[in-house]
């Protein structure tokens, strides 16, 4: 029998709005879209340190050791899927609803059970198509740490939970979905607007201001070093080493915010390129960097083969 234990974790639940209607219209096309969307979601979940626990029908459940990374994964997912759906007809869009809860769960093998999971599933069911709803336990952890807005939705009634669970919609953009969220018992507040989602191509085209400032500072420092080297020229281009270091720092900063590739594997690739650059800048007729690069490649291969 599998060992049973408990743990505190962040539960991420997602499913597709109107999946039955989509399957009734085009089974093969809907299944292909579902697989594509799940692959993107799984990649983003992994890149934020989470793991996919189970999939069933149109649903998916994952858990994260970090509450902040769970919300970031949800936002990145909805942004990427918004870009995918923007190229599809309105009646054929695959819109996911996501619910996130921080709670104590029972762990049995690779599965998790308990009220923490039930609450996440109920939050997901109450989300708008293309939206995200989080519990108050998640909101308390992320409200000052994630660059999104929040709208209080009132208490959400959950089976086997005596008191309503306060819930919040994550506001990603300004556009509004026309699909209203499910009615909430015990809430006197008016129905909230759905959590809007910014198209993926718009999100990727606008890097974070912090990232732009960092890249600008690094570029200025590199330019100043090159100018100093040229003005004090003594036959040696010593600025190439600090400029290479600044390039590696810039690449690592980009990797921290990107969602296209696995971040750990990309970090290893950046390290390998940095070593190759050092080898070329100190060239003595021997490509000694091949050995550390081979070791890094092996580590990347192991990491890739162990991904979920």
């Amino acid at each position: 029998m599998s060992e049973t234990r408990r743990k505190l974790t962040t539960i991420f639940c997602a499913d597709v709005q109107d999946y039955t209607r989509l399957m009734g219209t085009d089974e093969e096309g809907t299944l292909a879209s579902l697989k594509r969307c799940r692959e993107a979601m799984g990649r983003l979940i992994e890149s934020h340190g989470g793991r996919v626990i189970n999939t069933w029908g149109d649903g998916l459940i994952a858990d994260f050791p970090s509450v902040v990374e769970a919300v970031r994964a949800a936002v990145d997912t909805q942004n990427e899927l918004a870009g995918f759906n923007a190229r599809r007809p309105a009646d054929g869009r695959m819109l996911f609803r996501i619910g996130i809860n921080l709670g104590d769960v029972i762990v049995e093998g690779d599965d998790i059970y308990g009220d923490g999971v039930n609450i996440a599933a109920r939050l997901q069911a109450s989300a708008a198509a293309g939206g995200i709803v989080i519990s108050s336990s998640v909101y308390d952890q992320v409200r000052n740490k994630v660059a999104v807005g929040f709208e209080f939705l009132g208490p959400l009634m959950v089976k086997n939970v005596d008191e309503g669970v306060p819930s919040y919609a994550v506001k990603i953009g300004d556009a509004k979905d026309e699909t209203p969220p499910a009615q909430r018992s015990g809430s006197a507040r008016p129905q909230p607007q759905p959590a809007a989602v910014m198209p993926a191509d718009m999100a990727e085209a606008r890097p974070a201001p912090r990232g732009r400032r960092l890249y600008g500072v690094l570029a200025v420092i590199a330019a100043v070093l090159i100018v100093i080297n040229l003005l004090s020229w003594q036959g040696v281009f010593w600025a190439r080493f600090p400029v290479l270091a600044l390039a590696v720092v810039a690449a690592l900063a980009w990797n921290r915010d990107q969602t296209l590739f696995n971040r750990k594997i990309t970090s290893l690739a950046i390290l390998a390129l940095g070593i190759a650059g050092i080898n070329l800048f100190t060239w003595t007729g021997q490509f000694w960097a091949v050995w550390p690069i081979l070791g890094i490649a092996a580590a990347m291969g192991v990491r890739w083969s162990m991904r979920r």
Side-chain angles (χ1 to χ4, degrees):
M1 294 181 64
S2 301
E3 179 184 0
T4 300
R5 56 189 177 86
R6 303 192 72 96
K7 72 174 181 178
L8 182 67
T9 192
T10 309
I11 307 103
F12 174 114
C13 283
D15 81 347
V16 180
Q17 174 81 9
D18 292 336
Y19 181 70
T20 301
R21 176 185 63 80
L22 293 171
M23 286 293 286
T25 303
D26 179 7
E27 285 187 350
E28 293 184 357
T30 297
L31 183 58
S33 295
L34 177 63
K35 289 181 178 179
R36 179 174 176 179
C37 291
R38 271 194 181 155
E39 288 176 358
M41 190 179 299
R43 169 173 51 79
L44 290 168
I45 287 171
E46 181 184 358
S47 73
H48 285 278
R51 68 181 183 106
V52 175
I53 295 174
N54 203 351
T55 58
W56 67 97
D58 61 321
L60 177 147
I61 183 169
D63 74 342
F64 292 78
S66 166
V67 187
V68 172
E69 292 301 323
V71 174
R72 286 175 175 167
V75 172
D76 288 347
T77 293
Q78 294 293 34
N79 280 336
E80 182 157 330
L81 296 184
F84 169 73
N85 284 307
R87 299 184 293 271
R88 299 175 61 83
D91 60 351
R93 293 175 179 172
M94 183 159 288
L95 302 173
F96 277 80
R97 302 173 297 189
I98 298 176
I100 304 175
N101 179 48
L102 172 64
D104 190 82
V105 299
I106 298 172
V107 181
E108 191 172 61
D110 291 331
D111 291 326
I112 58 175
Y113 307 91
D115 287 341
V117 179
N118 296 335
I119 291 172
R122 183 68 180 88
L123 292 167
Q124 164 262 302
S126 71
I132 305 165
V133 173
I134 63 175
S135 65
S136 59
S137 60
V138 173
Y139 171 78
D140 290 340
Q141 298 295 321
V142 305
R143 57 184 177 181
N144 296 321
K145 300 175 183 176
V146 182
V148 294
F150 302 94
E151 179 182 354
F152 182 65
L153 302 180
L156 180 69
M157 304 310 297
V158 180
K159 185 178 180 181
N160 298 327
V161 178
D162 294 335
E163 298 181 359
V165 178
S167 59
Y168 295 80
V170 178
K171 310 296 289 184
I172 307 174
D174 296 327
K176 293 182 180 181
D177 192 298
E178 297 180 356
T179 306
Q183 297 293 325
R184 294 170 173 77
S185 303
S187 174
R189 292 176 176 265
Q191 290 298 316
Q193 296 296 332
V197 179
M198 185 190 315
D201 52 355
M202 292 175 60
E204 293 174 0
R206 287 197 319 222
R210 180 179 62 181
R212 288 200 301 266
R213 287 196 296 269
L214 176 60
Y215 302 146
V217 169
L218 293 176
V220 169
I221 294 174
V224 169
L225 289 172
I226 292 173
V227 170
I228 292 174
N229 193 168
L230 294 176
L231 292 177
S232 60
W233 183 258
Q234 294 181 352
V236 178
F237 185 50
W238 52 261
R240 64 187 185 276
F241 294 108
V243 169
L244 176 62
L246 293 172
V248 170
V249 171
L252 291 174
W254 166 82
N255 186 49
R256 178 189 60 193
D257 298 324
Q258 63 90 15
T259 58
L260 296 176
F261 311 102
N262 181 284
R263 291 177 180 173
K264 292 183 179 179
I265 293 178
T266 308
S267 295
L268 292 172
I270 293 170
L271 177 60
L273 290 174
I275 293 174
I278 294 173
N279 192 167
L280 293 176
F281 286 162
T282 60
W283 184 257
T284 58
Q286 182 179 5
F287 187 48
W288 53 261
V290 66
W291 301 113
I293 290 176
L294 182 60
I296 292 173
M300 292 170 63
V302 170
R303 174 66 186 174
W304 179 260
S305 64
M306 293 180 64
R307 66 190 178 93
R308 292 186 63 89

